[in-house]
Amino acid sequence: MTWHEHRWRPAESRRTTTRRDPPSRTRRRAGAVAVVAVTATALAAFPATPASAVNATHPTVVSADPANWTPHALDGTVYRILQIGNRVYMAGSFTSVRNANSSTPLAMARLVAFDATTGRIDTAFRVTLNGTVRALAASADGRSLYVGGSFTTVNGTTSRYVTRVDAATGARVSGFVPAVLNGAVADLRLVGNRLILGGAFQTVAGVARKGLAALNATTGAADGSVNLNLAGPRTTATGVTAPVKVEALDVSADGRRLIIIGNFSSAAGQARYQLAVVDLTTTGATLSAWATTRYQPACSNNTPTYMRGVDISADGTWFVVVTTGYTYPNTLCDAAARFEFGTAGPNKQPTWVNYTGGDTLLSVAVTGAAVYVGGHQRWLDNPLGRNSAGAGAVSRPGIGAIHPTTGKALSWNPTKERGVGTADILATPAGLWIGSDTSTVAGEFHGKIAFFPLA
């Protein structure tokens, strides 16, 4: 996320929601449907169709008053939120959680399930991971979870950086044996029977796949159909070069379009500065002619890639990118920018840009009524700010909402403790989830996670 997951529809129709058989991304987002009982101990049943990667469409902006019943993570960061039916999964680096209105901590680390209506933590769902979780996606039937991050063991068994677990119990799905990656996973999406991964890995099953790859979603075997040959990692002002990394990715609801963002300068032998659009088919992936040079300039000397989050609109016609990098004239550093897909071609320009004036944005969710952005920003509408409030700036600490057409900040302003920032935003049909490293939202205690219901 930035497991972004979202709404679901069938592959022929659309992320079903997240990414797709239709894609599965609730990283996000949830589609409630007929549910089936899983086990007597399960807190929630699973829908006949999964949660998906596309954020839910909302008729209005959500309430600025967060719900009081959500659970709390007591340390670390919530990096990803996924909803399937009436069950929510939160994932990150935390090691302890507790229910709302309880003083009893529960030693449950890195991946926890709870009821989407009551917030009650499901103690029957248990997964033991030895590292941070950064990405989640639902299986096509909603009965299992794909999990990505920096872990190397799952429930005591070696599983490097990606795994699949039962959505009711947390047990590993035995038939899924992932190909060996040599680096962490930062984001993932399910598209048909391909699990598309983005991250810091450079090889998959010993074959070069820098930052982007696919696995067979059933077996975990390497799938060679996604091979964009990302190259040209950017360097810092002091000459430090990191390996190619995909920071985040998103897939359109129909599963036909993939966006990747990261520290690369080329894809498939063509210049692509930190952002590339990929056309997907059921069996392949080819670089789109869609291209922009707006992310070619440097931002902060120590930030070779300033890309942090991306989200495609539910109708698949436009997307928003959020960045870090401080403020530099004529750049898209520390800003949210909307782009249209339109006809593929070079030199694409943003429809609008909303600047923070020097603060990082980490996450974004497009809901129709608003474009929600999160980070450790103090302001929006601040193009003249230089680590300060310039003319026209509006206070929006930690979380804010932007009008999808005008690009100006909406009045919604719950306020949030800033910290490192809001790491994930997930829109569901019922409202908006946020995950972060801080615990004060709207002046109330909400440990690393909060939910804003639709008004």
Side-chain angles (χ1 to χ4, degrees):
M1 25 147 38
T2 26
W3 300 202
H4 341 148
E5 271 122 57
H6 305 120
R7 275 156 276 171
W8 159 274
R9 303 180 188 113
E12 308 84 285
S13 44
R14 183 225 168 342
R15 264 178 198 180
T16 157
T17 264
T18 224
R19 300 257 200 221
R20 343 204 167 246
D21 197 64
S24 181
R25 163 195 154 163
T26 207
R27 238 180 93 201
R28 302 157 151 153
R29 321 310 177 197
V33 269
V35 292
V36 185
V38 181
T39 69
T41 59
L43 232 176
F46 294 100
T49 54
S52 160
V54 172
N55 279 291
T57 298
H58 291 165
T60 62
V61 175
V62 296
S63 170
D65 182 17
N68 295 326
W69 45 262
T70 54
H72 308 292
L74 302 180
D75 59 355
T77 298
V78 171
Y79 285 113
R80 192 68 72 223
I81 304 168
L82 168 74
Q83 184 167 339
I84 305 175
N86 201 45
R87 172 173 287 200
V88 176
Y89 300 85
M90 65 177 180
S93 60
F94 55 86
T95 61
S96 179
V97 298
R98 70 171 172 83
N99 287 301
N101 303 317
S102 170
S103 60
T104 304
L106 303 172
M108 299 177 68
R110 303 186 179 97
L111 181 55
V112 168
F114 61 89
D115 189 279
T117 303
T118 68
R120 189 74 180 172
I121 295 167
D122 182 3
T123 56
F125 177 86
R126 293 273 185 169
V127 184
T128 301
L129 302 130
N130 70 339
T132 297
V133 176
R134 293 272 183 174
L136 296 174
S139 65
D141 62 7
R143 295 179 180 272
S144 62
L145 302 177
Y146 297 98
V147 183
S150 58
F151 54 85
T152 56
T153 65
V154 181
N155 298 337
T157 300
T158 298
S159 188
R160 299 176 65 82
Y161 312 122
V162 64
T163 191
R164 184 180 184 181
V165 300
D166 186 282
T169 67
R172 291 178 64 245
V173 175
S174 60
F176 184 81
V177 181
V180 175
L181 310 177
N182 73 337
V185 170
D187 210 350
L188 55 78
R189 299 290 186 276
L190 180 64
V191 185
N193 200 43
R194 286 182 295 183
L195 186 66
I196 298 178
L197 310 174
F201 52 85
Q202 304 297 289
T203 63
V204 178
V207 176
R209 289 290 185 272
K210 295 182 178 181
L212 180 70
L215 304 181
N216 181 290
T218 301
T219 67
D223 182 327
S225 66
V226 179
N227 181 17
L228 273 292
N229 189 27
L230 302 181
R234 294 160 65 96
T235 61
T236 66
T238 57
V240 176
T241 302
V244 168
K245 180 183 179 183
V246 169
E247 294 282 340
L249 54 83
D250 197 16
V251 179
S252 61
D254 61 9
R256 296 179 179 179
R257 187 175 271 148
L258 165 71
I259 294 181
I260 56 174
I261 59 174
N263 70 342
F264 51 87
S265 298
S266 70
Q270 303 294 314
R272 291 294 186 273
Y273 302 104
Q274 301 191 85
L275 184 155
V277 176
V278 180
D279 294 324
L280 298 175
T281 65
T282 55
T283 58
T286 57
L287 183 68
S288 169
W290 194 102
T292 182
T293 59
R294 291 302 305 273
Y295 295 108
Q296 182 177 6
C299 289
S300 167
N301 289 340
N302 297 317
T303 311
T305 179
Y306 44 95
M307 314 297 276
R308 289 297 180 264
V310 60
D311 194 39
I312 301 173
S313 65
D315 66 5
T317 63
W318 56 282
F319 63 94
V320 176
V321 177
V322 294
T323 60
T324 185
Y326 198 55
T327 60
Y328 296 90
N330 303 314
T331 68
L332 299 181
C333 313
D334 280 344
R338 169 176 170 163
F339 289 87
E340 316 300 317
F341 282 113
T343 302
N347 302 316
K348 296 293 185 178
Q349 299 298 316
T351 305
W352 51 252
V353 182
N354 195 304
Y355 291 94
T356 67
D359 292 327
T360 296
L361 295 175
L362 296 171
S363 54
V364 55
V366 176
T367 68
V371 175
Y372 296 96
V373 294
H376 62 244
Q377 79 278 9
R378 288 164 284 181
W379 308 280
L380 292 175
D381 292 356
N382 195 18
L384 302 179
R386 295 293 180 270
N387 201 28
S388 60
V394 295
S395 177
R396 297 293 185 270
I399 187 77
I402 298 171
H403 193 288
T405 303
T406 68
K408 295 295 185 181
L410 295 168
S411 61
W412 187 77
N413 186 26
T415 74
K416 178 185 171 294
E417 183 183 5
R418 294 168 58 223
V420 173
T422 302
D424 193 33
I425 309 175
L426 168 67
T428 72
L432 193 78
W433 290 96
I434 63 170
S436 76
D437 64 316
T438 61
S439 298
T440 303
V441 181
E444 304 169 355
F445 179 79
H446 293 274
K448 322 302 182 186
I449 189 169
F451 178 69
F452 300 97
L454 276 169

